[in-house]
PDB file of all heavy atoms in Angstrom:
ATOM      1  N   PHE A  52     -23.737   3.441  -3.349  1.00  0.00           N
ATOM      2  CA  PHE A  52     -23.367   2.986  -4.687  1.00  0.00           C
ATOM      3  C   PHE A  52     -24.008   3.834  -5.797  1.00  0.00           C
ATOM      4  O   PHE A  52     -24.334   3.312  -6.855  1.00  0.00           O
ATOM      5  CB  PHE A  52     -23.731   1.529  -4.870  1.00  0.00           C
ATOM      6  CG  PHE A  52     -23.189   0.628  -3.806  1.00  0.00           C
ATOM      7  CD1 PHE A  52     -24.018   0.157  -2.786  1.00  0.00           C
ATOM      8  CD2 PHE A  52     -21.858   0.267  -3.782  1.00  0.00           C
ATOM      9  CE1 PHE A  52     -23.521  -0.674  -1.797  1.00  0.00           C
ATOM     10  CE2 PHE A  52     -21.354  -0.564  -2.787  1.00  0.00           C
ATOM     11  CZ  PHE A  52     -22.174  -1.032  -1.789  1.00  0.00           C
ATOM     12  N   ALA A  66     -14.497   4.471  19.409  1.00  0.00           N
ATOM     13  CA  ALA A  66     -15.796   4.162  20.020  1.00  0.00           C
ATOM     14  C   ALA A  66     -16.346   2.875  19.411  1.00  0.00           C
ATOM     15  O   ALA A  66     -16.109   2.592  18.232  1.00  0.00           O
ATOM     16  CB  ALA A  66     -16.787   5.307  19.817  1.00  0.00           C
ATOM     17  N   PHE A 127     -19.661  -3.826  -1.562  1.00  0.00           N
ATOM     18  CA  PHE A 127     -19.914  -4.004  -2.983  1.00  0.00           C
ATOM     19  C   PHE A 127     -21.241  -4.729  -3.209  1.00  0.00           C
ATOM     20  O   PHE A 127     -21.717  -5.465  -2.353  1.00  0.00           O
ATOM     21  CB  PHE A 127     -18.757  -4.756  -3.661  1.00  0.00           C
ATOM     22  CG  PHE A 127     -18.483  -6.113  -3.094  1.00  0.00           C
ATOM     23  CD1 PHE A 127     -18.957  -7.257  -3.710  1.00  0.00           C
ATOM     24  CD2 PHE A 127     -17.716  -6.264  -1.941  1.00  0.00           C
ATOM     25  CE1 PHE A 127     -18.693  -8.513  -3.194  1.00  0.00           C
ATOM     26  CE2 PHE A 127     -17.436  -7.518  -1.435  1.00  0.00           C
ATOM     27  CZ  PHE A 127     -17.926  -8.647  -2.049  1.00  0.00           C
ATOM     28  N   PHE A 147     -12.335 -33.759  -2.809  1.00  0.00           N
ATOM     29  CA  PHE A 147     -11.619 -33.743  -1.536  1.00  0.00           C
ATOM     30  C   PHE A 147     -12.047 -32.521  -0.717  1.00  0.00           C
ATOM     31  O   PHE A 147     -12.408 -32.622   0.447  1.00  0.00           O
ATOM     32  CB  PHE A 147     -10.113 -33.721  -1.784  1.00  0.00           C
ATOM     33  CG  PHE A 147      -9.275 -33.547  -0.543  1.00  0.00           C
ATOM     34  CD1 PHE A 147      -9.220 -34.535   0.418  1.00  0.00           C
ATOM     35  CD2 PHE A 147      -8.550 -32.388  -0.332  1.00  0.00           C
ATOM     36  CE1 PHE A 147      -8.450 -34.395   1.552  1.00  0.00           C
ATOM     37  CE2 PHE A 147      -7.767 -32.228   0.799  1.00  0.00           C
ATOM     38  CZ  PHE A 147      -7.722 -33.223   1.745  1.00  0.00           C
ATOM     39  N   LEU A 152     -15.327 -29.386   3.414  1.00  0.00           N
ATOM     40  CA  LEU A 152     -16.265 -28.320   3.679  1.00  0.00           C
ATOM     41  C   LEU A 152     -17.575 -28.848   4.265  1.00  0.00           C
ATOM     42  O   LEU A 152     -18.170 -28.222   5.136  1.00  0.00           O
ATOM     43  CB  LEU A 152     -16.549 -27.520   2.406  1.00  0.00           C
ATOM     44  CG  LEU A 152     -15.475 -26.479   2.060  1.00  0.00           C
ATOM     45  CD1 LEU A 152     -15.728 -25.926   0.676  1.00  0.00           C
ATOM     46  CD2 LEU A 152     -15.486 -25.355   3.073  1.00  0.00           C
ATOM     47  N   ASN A 160     -27.595 -24.682   9.016  1.00  0.00           N
ATOM     48  CA  ASN A 160     -27.382 -23.441   9.771  1.00  0.00           C
ATOM     49  C   ASN A 160     -26.166 -22.734   9.192  1.00  0.00           C
ATOM     50  O   ASN A 160     -25.213 -22.452   9.885  1.00  0.00           O
ATOM     51  CB  ASN A 160     -27.176 -23.766  11.262  1.00  0.00           C
ATOM     52  CG  ASN A 160     -27.122 -22.532  12.118  1.00  0.00           C
ATOM     53  OD1 ASN A 160     -27.676 -21.508  11.775  1.00  0.00           O
ATOM     54  ND2 ASN A 160     -26.420 -22.639  13.239  1.00  0.00           N
ATOM     55  N   ILE A 187      -8.709   5.087  -3.192  1.00  0.00           N
ATOM     56  CA  ILE A 187      -8.384   6.301  -2.443  1.00  0.00           C
ATOM     57  C   ILE A 187      -7.762   7.365  -3.347  1.00  0.00           C
ATOM     58  O   ILE A 187      -8.045   8.561  -3.219  1.00  0.00           O
ATOM     59  CB  ILE A 187      -7.442   5.977  -1.262  1.00  0.00           C
ATOM     60  CG1 ILE A 187      -8.108   5.010  -0.294  1.00  0.00           C
ATOM     61  CG2 ILE A 187      -7.005   7.250  -0.542  1.00  0.00           C
ATOM     62  CD1 ILE A 187      -9.403   5.510   0.296  1.00  0.00           C
ATOM     63  N   LEU A 227     -10.061 -39.775   3.614  1.00  0.00           N
ATOM     64  CA  LEU A 227      -9.348 -38.581   3.147  1.00  0.00           C
ATOM     65  C   LEU A 227      -8.207 -38.960   2.209  1.00  0.00           C
ATOM     66  O   LEU A 227      -7.975 -38.305   1.190  1.00  0.00           O
ATOM     67  CB  LEU A 227      -8.817 -37.766   4.331  1.00  0.00           C
ATOM     68  CG  LEU A 227      -9.854 -36.974   5.119  1.00  0.00           C
ATOM     69  CD1 LEU A 227      -9.232 -36.388   6.382  1.00  0.00           C
ATOM     70  CD2 LEU A 227     -10.447 -35.863   4.279  1.00  0.00           C
ATOM     71  N   HIS A 239      -7.761 -42.854 -14.129  1.00  0.00           N
ATOM     72  CA  HIS A 239      -7.563 -44.300 -14.204  1.00  0.00           C
ATOM     73  C   HIS A 239      -7.826 -45.043 -12.887  1.00  0.00           C
ATOM     74  O   HIS A 239      -7.726 -46.254 -12.861  1.00  0.00           O
ATOM     75  CB  HIS A 239      -6.119 -44.608 -14.646  1.00  0.00           C
ATOM     76  CG  HIS A 239      -5.685 -43.852 -15.856  1.00  0.00           C
ATOM     77  ND1 HIS A 239      -6.254 -44.059 -17.099  1.00  0.00           N
ATOM     78  CD2 HIS A 239      -4.755 -42.876 -16.030  1.00  0.00           C
ATOM     79  CE1 HIS A 239      -5.681 -43.252 -17.985  1.00  0.00           C
ATOM     80  NE2 HIS A 239      -4.777 -42.517 -17.359  1.00  0.00           N
ATOM     81  N   THR A 267     -21.617 -42.864  -3.284  1.00  0.00           N
ATOM     82  CA  THR A 267     -20.804 -44.025  -3.622  1.00  0.00           C
ATOM     83  C   THR A 267     -19.468 -43.593  -4.202  1.00  0.00           C
ATOM     84  O   THR A 267     -19.286 -42.452  -4.634  1.00  0.00           O
ATOM     85  CB  THR A 267     -21.526 -44.933  -4.626  1.00  0.00           C
ATOM     86  OG1 THR A 267     -21.646 -44.237  -5.863  1.00  0.00           O
ATOM     87  CG2 THR A 267     -22.906 -45.338  -4.110  1.00  0.00           C
ATOM     88  N   LEU A 272     -16.229 -40.417  -8.026  1.00  0.00           N
ATOM     89  CA  LEU A 272     -15.252 -40.430  -9.100  1.00  0.00           C
ATOM     90  C   LEU A 272     -15.814 -39.697 -10.341  1.00  0.00           C
ATOM     91  O   LEU A 272     -15.104 -38.920 -10.987  1.00  0.00           O
ATOM     92  CB  LEU A 272     -14.873 -41.859  -9.459  1.00  0.00           C
ATOM     93  CG  LEU A 272     -13.897 -42.046 -10.640  1.00  0.00           C
ATOM     94  CD1 LEU A 272     -12.590 -41.312 -10.384  1.00  0.00           C
ATOM     95  CD2 LEU A 272     -13.650 -43.535 -10.882  1.00  0.00           C
ATOM     96  N   ILE A 298     -10.711 -37.625 -19.557  1.00  0.00           N
ATOM     97  CA  ILE A 298     -11.065 -37.723 -18.137  1.00  0.00           C
ATOM     98  C   ILE A 298     -11.350 -39.156 -17.697  1.00  0.00           C
ATOM     99  O   ILE A 298     -11.565 -39.415 -16.509  1.00  0.00           O
ATOM    100  CB  ILE A 298     -12.288 -36.852 -17.799  1.00  0.00           C
ATOM    101  CG1 ILE A 298     -13.534 -37.340 -18.559  1.00  0.00           C
ATOM    102  CG2 ILE A 298     -11.994 -35.387 -18.060  1.00  0.00           C
ATOM    103  CD1 ILE A 298     -14.815 -36.637 -18.151  1.00  0.00           C
TER     104      ILE A 298
END
Side-chain angles (χ1 to χ4, degrees):
F52 306 104
F127 59 99
F147 173 68
L152 279 170
N160 187 27
I187 299 301
L227 286 171
H239 310 294
T267 67
L272 177 58
I298 63 173

